[in-house]
Amino acid sequence: MKRGPLGILIFLIVALLVAFLLMKELQNPTPLSERASQAVADTAVDAVQSAVDTINEAVQNSDLTESLQSMLGGTR
């Protein structure tokens, strides 16, 4: 029974924190569509960056760079 008052106190603190955060959100609401579009944009940027990194790594690990340089050098 000694933990009872401590548990109630922690519950009240968490409830006040949640209420405060909800109040802040209601004062400055961000539309869900804006959040979703930002998340999609962030995901797309990450995917493109990952693809570019993968291509760069593949080119560096192959002889493709040297082949392209020799082809370009041979045509000039």
Side-chain angles (χ1 to χ4, degrees):
M1 292 299 288
K2 291 183 180 181
R3 290 187 176 177
L6 182 62
I8 292 172
L9 181 64
I10 291 173
F11 174 78
L12 289 175
I13 291 172
V14 170
L16 286 173
L17 179 64
V18 168
F20 176 75
L21 293 175
L22 285 173
M23 182 184 67
K24 298 269 299 178
E25 179 64 28
L26 290 174
Q27 287 177 350
N28 297 319
T30 304
L32 185 58
S33 61
E34 183 179 320
R35 288 184 191 174
S37 64
Q38 184 63 41
V40 168
D42 291 344
T43 303
V45 168
D46 290 344
V48 169
Q49 185 62 46
S50 177
V52 168
D53 291 343
T54 302
I55 291 169
N56 285 337
E57 185 177 334
V59 168
Q60 288 174 357
N61 290 339
S62 68
D63 294 330
L64 186 59
T65 303
E66 295 168 0
S67 299
L68 287 173
Q69 287 175 349
S70 66
M71 286 170 42
L72 291 174
T75 58
R76 289 183 179 182

